[in-house]
Amino acid sequence: MADYARNRMFFASSTTLMLAVAAYMSFSLLWHEPIPMGWRIPLTALLFLLSQTITGMRVLITWRPDLPFLLVRVGGFLSSSFMVLSWFVLLRDALLALTFAFSLAIPGMESAQEQIFAAALSIPAELAMLAASVAAAGVGMARALAVPSVRHVDIPLRGLPEDLDGLKIAHLSDLHIGSTFTGEWLKEVVRRTNALEPDFTLITGDLADGKPERIGPLLRPVTELRARYGVAVSVGNHDYYSGLRAWVETWRAWGMTVLLNEHREYSVRGRNVVIAAVTDPCAVLFRSLDASMGAPDVRTALEGAGEGLRILMSHRPRHAEQNAALGCHLQLSGHTHGGQFFFLFPLVSRLNGGFRSGLYRAGSMPVYVSPGTGMWGYVPMRLGVGAEITLITLRSAKATPEAPASPQNAA
Ligand SMILES: [Fe+2]
């Protein structure tokens, strides 16, 4: 419950924050000379409208997950452009504040300072900033929509039996098929993943953005994933928003292994490997669902599991230390999308218990947080962090260097 309350608080505060950003941007971009008075009110209204694109998209997608594909992309492009523009404005104003401070400290700088202010606040300079924002959003969107490349990660595990040294896990997360990505994109992701010849392929949630009737044919290529021992799926918040019961029925009808607070055991090179998964904290919102689709519970997920290597799939990386204390040896997560753009990294990290992207250690347990294979459709842009198909190779800790020591020290 606490996690979901935090989630709601996040969107309430992000909506308020975006309104404050719009107010600041209006003041900084529009309410000064030489911007004509007649432009100011309509452009201010436009900025306030654009600032609410993410909230508007979220509400629409929550209640109407089958929004037209083009509308989602246009909305995403607008919100991306707005975010980059706000960053440019903050950067410009910080530089102007520095210039002003210098002019106070150094005699004779006043006229130079006035010229710099006039140039920076001119209409051509502001139009150039707008054009740069739109271009950066375009580049970021092209990067975000491309099929991701493979990232190879070695993870040292203390006590890993020699027989399991070299075990390969393909980790996919946050496919978000429907709102941003299509079936063709997914087919190529599946082809690249299968080419890695993994022992396991594990997907840590947010597969779908939309109901099975519409998204089913787009997501179907996921059934073509192949791994030597098993392919398994855990669920994320967007799978709940998209109708979890129908999706679980669909996936199971397709022959997929969907783990809801449960585990499956595999005999690998004579050793027992436990693949467990928990549900998502947003389950508390969906009370009509079966008990098996309720709140995440690691103890239930591990109930009856034999001794052996225990790998936990948890869409959200939070609570990794508790999961380690409950006997998990490795946690795979997603949800953060790596922060998506560099100026949001500290915020995303803070909202996810210090986790953002890459390899961490929670107590004695390594945690790998995928930056996402796909991403959400509200802001389809990546600047400073790429998407990835992750190929994890487990190594005996004796033979390899230590993983980073805490969530603050990402690999
Ligand atoms: Fe996601």
Side-chain angles (χ1 to χ4, degrees):
M1 189 56 151
D3 272 352
Y4 192 74
R6 195 179 290 116
N7 199 24
R8 292 189 78 159
M9 269 183 61
F10 164 64
F11 277 103
S13 53
S14 71
T15 300
T16 310
L17 176 71
M18 294 305 276
L19 285 172
V21 170
Y24 177 77
M25 284 171 72
S26 307
F27 171 75
S28 180
L29 281 171
L30 302 171
W31 291 87
H32 60 76
E33 294 300 333
I35 309 297
M37 191 57 83
W39 294 11
R40 295 184 190 178
I41 290 177
L43 289 177
T44 297
L46 183 63
L47 278 176
F48 272 88
L49 199 63
L50 284 174
S51 76
Q52 295 310 302
T53 311
I54 297 175
T55 302
M57 298 276 287
R58 180 180 178 264
V59 170
L60 282 173
I61 287 178
T62 301
W63 298 107
R64 283 287 315 275
D66 302 343
L67 272 187
F69 190 75
L70 184 63
L71 186 64
V72 175
R73 285 213 172 173
V74 169
F77 183 68
L78 291 175
S79 58
S80 300
S81 302
F82 178 85
M83 291 195 90
V84 182
L85 181 61
S86 67
W87 183 76
F88 270 122
V89 171
L90 280 172
L91 190 65
R92 179 196 70 175
D93 291 357
L95 292 173
L96 288 180
L98 267 179
T99 308
F100 184 68
F102 273 123
S103 74
L104 291 178
I106 303 168
M109 272 282 291
E110 290 87 352
S111 70
Q113 177 252 314
E114 280 171 16
Q115 284 174 18
I116 291 169
F117 268 58
L121 298 174
S122 67
I123 293 176
E126 296 202 335
L127 285 176
M129 213 158 50
L130 178 64
S133 304
V134 171
V139 170
M141 197 162 168
R143 284 196 67 206
L145 299 180
V147 176
S149 50
V150 177
R151 183 179 183 198
H152 295 262
V153 180
D154 277 14
I155 298 186
L157 274 182
R158 276 201 198 93
L160 184 74
E162 289 286 315
D163 303 323
L164 295 180
D165 189 89
L167 191 79
K168 291 198 291 182
I169 302 165
H171 179 199
L172 307 178
S173 195
D174 299 86
L175 298 170
H176 288 276
I177 299 301
S179 69
T180 312
F181 296 100
T182 63
E184 290 308 307
W185 177 89
L186 181 58
K187 281 178 191 166
E188 183 56 20
V189 168
V190 168
R191 192 193 65 74
R192 290 187 189 187
T193 306
N194 287 346
L196 300 171
E197 299 184 349
D199 293 306
F200 289 96
T201 294
L202 305 179
I203 310 177
T204 50
D206 280 4
L207 280 79
D209 265 323
K211 294 187 186 305
E213 306 89 87
R214 190 175 76 94
I215 305 302
L218 303 178
L219 189 56
R220 186 76 195 229
V222 81
T223 59
E224 298 300 319
L225 284 166
R226 297 286 178 264
R228 189 165 290 111
Y229 297 101
V231 177
V233 170
S234 68
V235 297
N237 47 320
H238 283 251
D239 302 315
Y240 278 88
Y241 305 151
S242 301
L244 189 68
R245 182 186 289 126
W247 270 118
V248 169
E249 285 170 6
T250 302
W251 291 329
R252 287 183 172 157
W254 288 350
M256 293 171 66
T257 300
V258 186
L259 299 174
L260 304 164
N261 291 331
E262 58 191 323
H263 69 270
R264 190 167 276 201
E265 292 178 273
Y266 300 84
S267 177
V268 178
R269 305 172 196 164
R271 300 282 181 171
N272 189 36
V273 175
V274 178
I275 305 291
V278 287
T279 53
D280 190 82
C282 81
V284 297
L285 253 201
F286 300 87
R287 297 208 175 98
S288 64
L289 290 175
D290 306 341
S292 67
M293 297 172 192
D297 187 337
V298 180
R299 281 191 181 84
T300 303
L302 290 173
E303 216 166 67
E307 289 300 311
L309 174 64
R310 294 176 169 190
I311 300 171
L312 178 71
M313 294 191 283
S314 170
H315 181 60
R316 304 191 197 215
R318 270 182 176 277
H319 309 310
E321 293 220 2
Q322 295 163 34
N323 300 337
L326 289 169
C328 299
H329 301 122
L330 168 67
Q331 178 174 320
L332 303 182
S333 296
H335 184 62
T336 64
H337 301 184
Q340 289 197 204
F341 357 98
F342 56 89
F343 49 91
L344 287 185
F345 288 177
L347 177 68
V348 171
S349 209
R350 191 178 166 80
L351 290 168
N352 289 280
F355 297 98
R356 182 182 64 80
S357 176
L359 184 59
Y360 299 83
R361 185 173 284 280
S364 61
M365 180 183 74
V367 181
Y368 191 77
V369 182
S370 168
T373 311
M375 50 175 284
W376 63 345
Y378 313 144
V379 194
M381 175 178 74
R382 285 185 181 271
L383 293 172
V385 59
E388 67 182 46
I389 294 165
T390 318
L391 184 67
I392 292 168
T393 304
L394 299 187
R395 297 291 181 197
S396 166
K398 278 178 270 174
T400 50
E402 281 293 310
S406 73
Q408 281 71 41
N409 297 320

